[in-house]
Every structure is written in C-alpha cells, then in structure tokens.
Amino acid sequence: MTGTILVTYASRYGSTREAAGAIASRLTALGHTTTVAPVSEARPLDGVAAVALGPHRAADGTGAARQQLDAALAKLPWFHPTDVAVFTGRYDPSRLRLADRLITVLPASPLHGVPALDERDRVQVERWADSLDSRLAVPA
C-alpha cells in the first residue's frame, strides 16, 4: 500500500486516543506510514490511503456499542468498511467531568455505582491491526 494510514479517534477521556496510538504503532512496526489525529483535526485527506476510526464510547459494554455502531453504519449504505471492531476500554469515575459525574449518581444510570475499571486488551488491538495489514496490502 502506498500512502499514509490515518488513525483517527474521538476520545473524551483518552482511552480511545491510547488505542489509536497502539493501532498506529503496530501498523508502523509492520512497515506502514501512519498518522494519528483526533477526528476533528483529520484534514486534509490528500495522500491518505486508508483511515482507521476510533469513536468515543461510554462504558456500556462492547455489545451495546457494537449495536449502536452497526445502526449508524446501516444509515450509510455507500460506506463499506474493510473491517469493523469494537474494543473494551477504561472507565475511571474520578476523572469524569461534572456533567458526566452527575449522570452516574442517578440510580437509573447504567454507570451508577460502577467502580473504576480498565478492560483494555492491547494484544487484541494489536491482533486486529495485524489483520488489517494483510487486507490493506495492494498486490504487486
């Protein structure tokens, strides 16, 4: 593949940014040229051969996140991603902004009483990046 792989993300508290960095590091180690940038700064796309996008997701489990992502992708029939993956992340209630912290005190909130947790799996993220390597390769 010629051109840069843009690894872009939207991250409220940094976990998705860290996953994007891990994906870019793995793809770079596999011989690709990568750039990491928040989605709000991911312009222009000249010279970009592929984009890996990591959206920010609340700590609601990968099942619910995947359903929401699939629903969003269904609204874009012209868009055909090479692959779609959802990874678990990190949740630290002590780092929440006021508005997010207020939501977690509501008994009906899915985050009510949830302790800090870190379920990121770097090996899983790197395996996914490895799988991209072969699919992004352009035959000679």
Side-chain angles (χ1 to χ4, degrees):
M1 163 183 269
T2 58
T4 299
I5 297 173
L6 172 62
V7 182
T8 187
Y9 60 89
S11 185
R12 184 175 294 170
Y13 293 104
S15 184
T16 308
R17 179 186 67 238
E18 292 166 5
I23 291 167
S25 293
R26 186 64 180 168
L27 290 170
T28 298
L30 293 168
H32 297 279
T33 302
T34 62
T35 299
V36 179
V39 73
S40 62
E41 298 174 13
R43 291 174 183 78
L45 295 179
D46 297 336
V48 172
V51 176
L53 172 62
H56 163 78
R57 284 298 311 130
D60 60 0
T62 58
R66 181 58 192 244
Q67 287 176 344
Q68 193 170 21
L69 179 59
D70 288 344
L73 289 173
K75 295 176 184 177
L76 306 170
W78 53 267
F79 183 64
H80 303 285
T82 299
D83 192 25
V84 177
V86 176
F87 304 106
T88 55
R90 174 183 66 207
Y91 173 69
D92 184 352
S94 70
R95 296 185 64 207
L96 296 178
R97 294 181 185 123
L98 179 61
D100 294 330
R101 200 168 37 246
L102 290 173
I103 291 170
T104 67
V105 300
L106 299 171
S109 170
L111 297 175
H112 180 73
V114 174
L117 56 95
D118 187 344
E119 296 181 337
R120 295 174 293 175
D121 184 342
R122 187 170 180 118
V123 172
Q124 181 187 31
V125 171
E126 288 179 351
R127 283 185 185 147
W128 182 74
D130 288 347
S131 75
L132 284 181
D133 178 49
S134 62
R135 286 180 283 163
L136 295 175
V138 175

